[in-house]
Amino acid sequence: MDQIQQAQEEALASIAAAQNLDALQQARIAYLGKKGSIQALMSRMKDLSKEEKPAFGQKVNLCKQTVTEALEQREAKLQSAALGQQLEQERIDITLPGDNLEAGTVHPLILVQQEIEDLFVGMGYKIAEGPEVEQDVYNFELANIPKDHPARDMQDTFYIDPETLLRTHTTAIQMRELEKAKGGLPIKLICPGKVYRRDDDDATHSHQFMQCEGLVVGEHITLADLKGTLEFMAKRMFGEGRKIRFRPSYFPFTEPSVEVDVSCHMCNGKGCPVCKYTGWIEILGAGMVHPHVLEMNGFDPDKCSGFAFGVGLERVAMLKYGIDDIRNFYLNDLRFLKTFDRFD
């Protein structure tokens, strides 16, 4: 019995002295493990008489229970202390300034595109999209530009093979939409997107640029409808005081065709360096949809008519934001792009 009491006192002292969980585990093994001193006491029972064994076994079990409870209590304290130490080491100083994560800005061309889309969606137009790698039939032939037509020289094209190319204008999307309509009326859509032409890059030209073309086909559509639409767009994009004028031009897709100028927003039509002292700035081409184009796409030109227009988004952005070099749109210079934070 004295040995049991001694083993218990030693175990409790060792447990109390453990300063960490590893030391406590060593104490557990030393006293309660298979080869531990308390567990070894049970082997003494074979030397005891029948009368002594029950009291001895009971005393050993009580000792094991006391040591086990002491281990659990000490373990709980050590775990709490370890957690407190870990929390202190990993403590976050919430008074420190946060990281400054810079957000990107909307690209000026996308700003212009979104503004035009919002404008025309509000007038009941839908937005149409199409592939940038296009077939010759949609890019040229259905737009009244057959093979060997002189108008193809107006657009120096990136060909992938004789029938596949990088689209030179978003008119190709209009041809796809006319084909899908299968003669159904009315049609009101705009089609913004990238286009590609073999051109030498300089301050006003790029081999890749963005267009937004519009198409309306229905009954009794006239040139007056086109003029009213474009005048509304010019006033929304460049200010309420803007006026537009039509100048005769040529596009295979339209007949008659016009170049459209807007009164200079810098000098209000009086003449300045921006408009080269003419008072006008060219912004887009337009016209009435050619009857042959309607006919090729399954529409009866005697029963319907339409108008179309196409505007270069770079041209609008340069005029709207006072940008003097088209290459700025594609250089990804953060100094340039950050100036558009205020337009988001």
Side-chain angles (χ1 to χ4, degrees), residues 169-189:
H169 46 200
T170 52
T171 305
I173 303 177
Q174 297 184 38
M175 297 304 101
R176 287 180 174 272
E177 292 296 318
L178 287 173
E179 183 181 68
K180 275 194 260 182
K182 297 180 180 179
L185 296 174
I187 295 173
K188 291 178 69 176
L189 60 89

Side-chain angles (χ1 to χ4, degrees), residues 53 66 71 75 78 94 96 124 126 129 145 149 182 192 199 205 208 222-223 260 291 294 303 306 322 331 337:
K53 285 181 178 180
T66 302
L71 281 168
E75 183 179 25
L78 290 175
I94 61 174
L96 291 174
K126 80 167 189 176
E129 297 179 341
I145 313 176
H149 192 287
K182 297 180 180 179
D199 208 341
H205 297 84
Q208 168 191 304
T222 68
L223 201 64
V260 182
L294 293 173
K303 296 182 178 179
L331 293 178
L337 296 175

Side-chain angles (χ1 to χ4, degrees), residues 157-211:
T157 308
F158 289 107
Y159 276 95
I160 297 172
D161 61 43
E163 299 300 327
T164 312
L165 48 86
L166 296 180
R167 68 184 181 199
T168 61
H169 46 200
T170 52
T171 305
I173 303 177
Q174 297 184 38
M175 297 304 101
R176 287 180 174 272
E177 292 296 318
L178 287 173
E179 183 181 68
K180 275 194 260 182
K182 297 180 180 179
L185 296 174
I187 295 173
K188 291 178 69 176
L189 60 89
I190 58 169
C191 37
K194 291 181 184 177
V195 298
Y196 306 85
R197 298 181 189 178
R198 295 173 62 184
D199 208 341
D200 295 326
D201 290 9
D202 58 28
T204 56
H205 297 84
S206 174
H207 66 281
Q208 168 191 304
F209 53 99
M210 295 186 69
Q211 280 187 339

Side-chain angles (χ1 to χ4, degrees), residues 1-66:
M1 294 296 184
D2 292 339
Q3 289 178 353
I4 296 174
Q5 185 64 32
Q6 182 180 356
Q8 178 176 313
E9 291 175 357
E10 290 178 358
L12 294 177
S14 180
I15 292 170
Q19 297 300 311
N20 53 58
L21 293 172
D22 289 338
L24 187 65
Q25 182 64 14
Q26 292 300 320
R28 185 193 303 273
I29 294 171
Y31 294 98
L32 296 181
K34 289 183 179 180
K35 297 181 180 180
S37 59
I38 295 176
Q39 192 67 26
L41 291 172
M42 296 299 291
S43 64
R44 300 287 302 276
M45 290 188 67
K46 65 180 185 295
D47 300 327
L48 300 177
S49 65
K50 291 182 179 181
E51 293 79 11
E52 294 175 320
K53 285 181 178 180
F56 183 83
Q58 185 178 10
K59 185 70 173 179
V60 172
N61 286 333
L62 182 60
C63 174
K64 289 171 65 176
Q65 183 179 350
T66 302

Side-chain angles (χ1 to χ4, degrees), residues 9-299:
E9 291 175 357
E10 290 178 358
L12 294 177
S14 180
I15 292 170
Q19 297 300 311
N20 53 58
L21 293 172
D22 289 338
L24 187 65
Q25 182 64 14
Q26 292 300 320
R28 185 193 303 273
I29 294 171
Y31 294 98
L32 296 181
K34 289 183 179 180
K35 297 181 180 180
S37 59
I38 295 176
Q39 192 67 26
L41 291 172
M42 296 299 291
S43 64
R44 300 287 302 276
M45 290 188 67
K46 65 180 185 295
D47 300 327
L48 300 177
S49 65
K50 291 182 179 181
E51 293 79 11
E52 294 175 320
K53 285 181 178 180
F56 183 83
Q58 185 178 10
K59 185 70 173 179
V60 172
N61 286 333
L62 182 60
C63 174
K64 289 171 65 176
Q65 183 179 350
T66 302
V67 172
T68 299
E69 291 176 354
L71 281 168
E72 291 175 350
Q73 293 174 4
R74 185 61 178 166
E75 183 179 25
K77 290 183 179 180
L78 290 175
Q79 284 179 339
S80 177
L83 178 61
Q85 184 178 11
Q86 181 182 3
L87 291 175
E88 181 62 27
Q89 291 173 346
E90 298 177 0
R91 184 170 63 90
I92 299 174
D93 186 354
I94 61 174
T95 65
L96 291 174
D99 294 333
N100 183 23
L101 301 177
E102 293 191 23
T105 61
V106 180
H107 194 279
L109 293 180
I110 301 302
L111 286 171
V112 171
Q113 178 179 331
Q114 290 174 343
E115 187 173 355
I116 292 176
E117 288 176 351
D118 290 344
L119 176 90
F120 282 96
V121 167
M123 293 194 291
Y125 286 64
K126 80 167 189 176
I127 300 172
E129 297 179 341
E132 294 178 23
V133 178
E134 188 54 275
Q135 298 178 36
D136 183 282
V137 63
Y138 294 110
N139 195 81
F140 287 128
E141 293 188 35
L142 289 177
N144 203 31
I145 313 176
K147 287 181 171 59
D148 302 322
H149 192 287
R152 293 204 181 202
D153 295 336
M154 297 167 59
Q155 302 175 8
D156 205 357
T157 308
F158 289 107
Y159 276 95
I160 297 172
D161 61 43
E163 299 300 327
T164 312
L165 48 86
L166 296 180
R167 68 184 181 199
T168 61
H169 46 200
T170 52
T171 305
I173 303 177
Q174 297 184 38
M175 297 304 101
R176 287 180 174 272
E177 292 296 318
L178 287 173
E179 183 181 68
K180 275 194 260 182
K182 297 180 180 179
L185 296 174
I187 295 173
K188 291 178 69 176
L189 60 89
I190 58 169
C191 37
K194 291 181 184 177
V195 298
Y196 306 85
R197 298 181 189 178
R198 295 173 62 184
D199 208 341
D200 295 326
D201 290 9
D202 58 28
T204 56
H205 297 84
S206 174
H207 66 281
Q208 168 191 304
F209 53 99
M210 295 186 69
Q211 280 187 339
C212 183
E213 296 193 21
L215 174 67
V216 173
V217 179
E219 296 180 358
H220 312 299
I221 303 298
T222 68
L223 201 64
D225 297 315
L226 171 62
K227 185 175 182 181
T229 300
L230 297 181
E231 193 163 35
F232 179 70
M233 182 183 79
K235 288 183 178 181
R236 284 288 300 270
M237 297 297 293
F238 300 105
E240 287 297 322
R242 304 285 66 77
K243 297 179 181 179
I244 65 170
R245 71 175 182 182
F246 286 173
R247 290 181 290 106
S249 186
Y250 167 76
F251 303 110
F253 179 64
T254 54
E255 179 59 38
S257 302
V258 293
E259 295 280 359
V260 182
D261 302 331
V262 61
S263 57
C264 180
H265 59 292
M266 297 297 291
C267 64
N268 204 27
K270 296 178 181 178
C272 68
V274 173
C275 61
K276 299 180 181 178
Y277 299 99
T278 65
W280 299 92
I281 297 174
E282 179 187 333
I283 58 168
L284 55 85
M288 301 301 294
V289 179
H290 199 293
H292 186 48
V293 172
L294 293 173
E295 193 173 17
M296 284 191 295
N297 287 279
F299 293 82

